[in-house]
Amino acid sequence: MVFVMREKIEELLQQIANLSSNNEKEIESIRLSLLGKKGEITKLFEEFRTVSPELKKEFGQKLNILKNTAIQKIEELKANINKSATNTKSQTDTSMPADTLSLGSRHPVSIARQEIVNIFRKFGYEVAEGPEIEDDYHVFEALNFPANHPARDMQDTFFVSNNIINPLLLRTHTSSVQVRAMESMPLPMRIICPGRVFRNEAISARAHCIFHQVEGLYIDKNVSFADLKQAILVFAREMFGEDTQIRFRPSYFPFTEPSAEVDVSCNICKGKGCNICKGTGWLEIMGCGMVDPNVLEASNIDSKTYSGFAFGMGVERIAMLKWQVNDLRHYFENDLRFLKEFNTNHSV
Ligand code: DAH
């Protein structure tokens, strides 16, 4: 009899150690099966009465350990359901405040570039792209730069290879994309080429060694300077406001003839003169001109049948004028206080 009881106690201890349940009712029936009136442990306590006096001490201790282990285990199981209940509750508690997500905003240079591109896209211009690491031919040679032009100098251009014939370099302007487009696209063509450009310049409030440009090119039969003026006027009014005036000043670029620089009336002082326009009432926004016949011919376009105009502008410059930022370096420092000023819903 005592032998059976010893085995029974061992077996129950083993079973209790392996018990698991997450269900309140199930735990209660486990409790009853062990400690209830007809429970296994209760029965053992009844049998204890028949144990001989010399073994009472040993079995008394064993039974008490068994009973306490069972009570402790049941408490543990109950506590676990309480814990998982609070967890589920916190996951589904709809009254909890939502986590605040701080959304980034688009960079002002990217907003300005997109605005420029969108304006020209409305008039049927297609976006064209070219490589940032270019060769001398596409950046200078095909654009009619004389061999000794200062822009080809090491002081302006970052060279990537020192090949003498056609060195690789970081493009100094997006006009190189014109050449790539003329080589590969059918005529007539209207393209707009946004991109990054690189110049070996000291960084200051007005200059940076990396900046962005947008180049435009239109080639067709009978394209005239009047078409160029009209395109720029429409662009300027869309970009800077309806009453913006423009003026063309004669200039020189190797790839256009005639060439001009375009000013817009200062949108801050409305032409009266302020410190942004340095008292002149005008702000320079781009270079432009009629594509030089040499440039058309270099890309195998018959300059007797076709003519075209081109223009190029700095995106940071347009952004500075549009938002009256007087130091170009703000655009490259990623100071959140500055970037958050542009946290608006500009469309893509
Ligand atoms: N590539 C010129 C620059 O970087 C800008 C420019 C001027 C582009 C006149 C043109 C143009 O297409 O016709 O300064």
Side-chain angles (χ1 to χ4, degrees), residues 145 172-175 178 199 211 213-216 253 255-256 259-260 286-290 309-313:
F145 277 79
T172 54
H173 56 178
T174 43
S175 305
Q178 278 189 31
R199 283 187 202 173
F211 55 102
Q213 285 189 334
V214 174
E215 182 81 12
F253 299 102
F255 35 93
T256 43
S259 303
M286 68 170 86
C288 64
M290 300 305 292
F309 63 69
F311 54 87
M313 63 191 108

Coordinates of all heavy atoms in Angstrom, one line a residue, residues 145 172-175 178 199 211 213-216 253 255-256 259-260 286-290 309-313, ligand 1:
F145 N 32.1 74.2 -78.7 CA 33.1 74.9 -77.9 C 34.4 75.0 -78.6 O 34.9 73.9 -79.0 CB 33.2 74.2 -76.5 CG 32.2 74.6 -75.5 CD1 30.9 74.0 -75.6 CD2 32.5 75.5 -74.5 CE1 30.0 74.3 -74.6 CE2 31.5 75.8 -73.5 CZ 30.3 75.2 -73.6
T172 N 29.3 69.6 -67.0 CA 29.3 70.9 -66.3 C 28.0 71.6 -66.6 O 27.6 72.6 -66.1 CB 30.4 71.8 -66.9 OG1 30.3 71.8 -68.3 CG2 31.8 71.3 -66.5
H173 N 27.2 71.0 -67.5 CA 25.8 71.5 -67.8 C 25.0 70.4 -68.4 O 25.5 69.4 -68.9 CB 25.9 72.8 -68.7 CG 26.6 72.6 -70.0 ND1 26.7 73.6 -71.0 CD2 27.3 71.5 -70.6 CE1 27.4 73.2 -72.0 NE2 27.7 71.9 -71.8
T174 N 23.7 70.6 -68.4 CA 22.8 69.6 -69.0 C 22.6 69.8 -70.5 O 21.9 69.0 -71.1 CB 21.4 69.6 -68.3 OG1 21.0 70.9 -68.1 CG2 21.4 68.9 -66.9
S175 N 23.3 70.8 -71.0 CA 23.3 70.9 -72.5 C 23.8 69.7 -73.2 O 23.4 69.4 -74.4 CB 24.1 72.1 -72.9 OG 23.7 73.3 -72.3
Q178 N 21.1 67.6 -74.7 CA 20.7 68.0 -76.1 C 21.3 67.1 -77.1 O 20.7 66.7 -78.1 CB 21.2 69.4 -76.4 CG 20.5 70.6 -75.9 CD 21.1 71.9 -76.5 OE1 21.5 71.8 -77.6 NE2 21.0 72.9 -75.8
R199 N 30.7 71.5 -61.1 CA 31.7 72.5 -61.5 C 32.7 72.7 -60.4 O 32.3 72.7 -59.2 CB 31.1 73.8 -61.9 CG 30.5 73.8 -63.3 CD 30.0 75.1 -63.7 NE 29.0 74.9 -64.7 CZ 28.2 75.8 -65.3 NH1 28.4 77.1 -64.9 NH2 27.3 75.6 -66.2
F211 N 25.2 71.2 -58.5 CA 23.8 71.9 -58.5 C 23.0 71.3 -59.6 O 23.4 70.3 -60.3 CB 24.0 73.4 -58.7 CG 24.8 73.9 -59.8 CD1 24.1 74.4 -61.0 CD2 26.2 73.9 -59.8 CE1 24.8 74.9 -62.0 CE2 26.9 74.4 -60.9 CZ 26.2 74.9 -62.0
Q213 N 20.3 71.6 -63.1 CA 19.9 72.5 -64.2 C 18.7 71.8 -64.9 O 18.5 70.6 -64.8 CB 21.0 72.6 -65.2 CG 22.1 73.6 -64.8 CD 23.1 73.8 -65.9 OE1 23.3 73.0 -66.8 NE2 23.8 75.0 -65.9
V214 N 18.0 72.6 -65.6 CA 17.0 72.1 -66.6 C 17.3 72.7 -67.9 O 17.4 73.9 -68.1 CB 15.6 72.4 -66.2 CG1 14.6 71.9 -67.2 CG2 15.2 71.7 -64.8
E215 N 17.5 71.8 -68.9 CA 17.8 72.2 -70.3 C 16.6 72.0 -71.1 O 15.8 71.1 -70.9 CB 18.9 71.3 -70.8 CG 19.4 71.6 -72.1 CD 20.4 72.8 -72.1 OE1 20.9 73.2 -71.0 OE2 20.7 73.3 -73.2
G216 N 16.3 72.9 -72.1 CA 15.2 72.7 -73.0 C 15.7 72.8 -74.4 O 16.6 73.6 -74.7
F253 N 26.8 82.3 -76.1 CA 27.1 80.9 -75.7 C 27.6 80.2 -77.0 O 27.1 80.5 -78.1 CB 25.8 80.2 -75.2 CG 25.2 80.8 -74.0 CD1 24.1 81.6 -74.1 CD2 25.8 80.5 -72.8 CE1 23.6 82.2 -72.9 CE2 25.3 81.1 -71.6 CZ 24.2 81.9 -71.7
F255 N 27.0 77.4 -78.3 CA 26.0 76.5 -79.0 C 24.8 77.2 -79.5 O 23.9 76.6 -80.0 CB 25.7 75.4 -78.1 CG 25.6 75.8 -76.6 CD1 24.4 76.1 -76.0 CD2 26.7 75.7 -75.8 CE1 24.3 76.5 -74.7 CE2 26.7 76.1 -74.5 CZ 25.5 76.5 -73.9
T256 N 24.6 78.6 -79.2 CA 23.5 79.3 -79.8 C 23.9 80.5 -80.5 O 24.9 81.2 -80.2 CB 22.5 79.6 -78.6 OG1 23.3 80.1 -77.5 CG2 21.6 78.5 -78.2
S259 N 22.4 84.5 -79.1 CA 22.2 84.0 -77.7 C 21.7 85.2 -76.8 O 21.9 86.3 -77.1 CB 23.6 83.6 -77.1 OG 24.2 82.6 -77.9
A260 N 21.0 84.8 -75.8 CA 20.5 85.8 -74.9 C 20.5 85.3 -73.4 O 20.5 84.1 -73.2 CB 19.1 86.2 -75.3
M286 N 17.9 82.6 -66.8 CA 18.4 81.6 -67.7 C 19.1 82.1 -68.9 O 19.1 83.3 -69.2 CB 17.2 80.7 -68.2 CG 16.3 81.4 -69.2 SD 15.1 80.3 -70.0 CE 13.8 80.2 -68.8
G287 N 19.8 81.2 -69.6 CA 20.5 81.5 -70.9 C 19.7 80.8 -72.0 O 19.1 79.8 -71.7
C288 N 19.7 81.4 -73.2 CA 19.0 80.7 -74.2 C 19.5 81.2 -75.6 O 20.3 82.1 -75.7 CB 17.5 81.0 -74.1 SG 17.1 82.8 -74.3
G289 N 18.9 80.7 -76.6 CA 19.2 81.2 -78.0 C 18.7 80.3 -79.0 O 18.1 79.2 -78.7
M290 N 19.0 80.6 -80.3 CA 18.7 79.8 -81.4 C 19.9 78.8 -81.6 O 21.0 79.2 -81.6 CB 18.5 80.6 -82.7 CG 17.4 81.6 -82.6 SD 15.8 80.9 -82.1 CE 15.4 79.9 -83.6
F309 N 15.4 76.2 -80.9 CA 15.9 77.0 -79.8 C 16.2 76.2 -78.6 O 15.7 75.0 -78.5 CB 14.9 78.2 -79.5 CG 13.6 77.8 -78.9 CD1 13.4 77.2 -77.7 CD2 12.4 78.1 -79.7 CE1 12.2 76.8 -77.2 CE2 11.2 77.7 -79.2 CZ 11.1 77.1 -77.9
A310 N 17.1 76.7 -77.8 CA 17.5 76.0 -76.6 C 17.5 77.0 -75.4 O 17.7 78.2 -75.6 CB 18.9 75.3 -76.8
F311 N 17.4 76.4 -74.2 CA 17.5 77.3 -73.0 C 18.0 76.4 -71.9 O 17.9 75.2 -71.9 CB 16.2 78.0 -72.7 CG 15.0 77.0 -72.5 CD1 14.8 76.4 -71.3 CD2 14.2 76.7 -73.6 CE1 13.7 75.5 -71.2 CE2 13.1 75.8 -73.5 CZ 12.9 75.2 -72.3
G312 N 18.6 77.1 -70.9 CA 19.1 76.3 -69.8 C 19.0 77.2 -68.5 O 19.3 78.4 -68.6
M313 N 18.5 76.6 -67.4 CA 18.4 77.3 -66.2 C 18.9 76.5 -65.0 O 18.9 75.3 -65.0 CB 17.0 77.8 -66.0 CG 16.0 76.7 -65.8 SD 14.3 77.3 -65.9 CE 13.8 76.7 -67.5
Ligands
DAH1 N1 24.6 75.5 -70.6 C1 24.5 76.9 -70.1 C2 25.2 77.0 -68.7 O1 25.4 76.0 -68.1 C3 23.1 77.4 -70.0 C4 22.5 77.5 -71.4 C5 22.6 78.7 -72.0 C6 21.8 76.5 -72.0 C7 22.0 78.9 -73.3 C8 21.2 76.7 -73.2 C9 21.4 77.9 -73.9 O2 20.6 75.7 -73.9 O3 20.8 78.1 -75.1 O4 25.4 78.1 -68.3

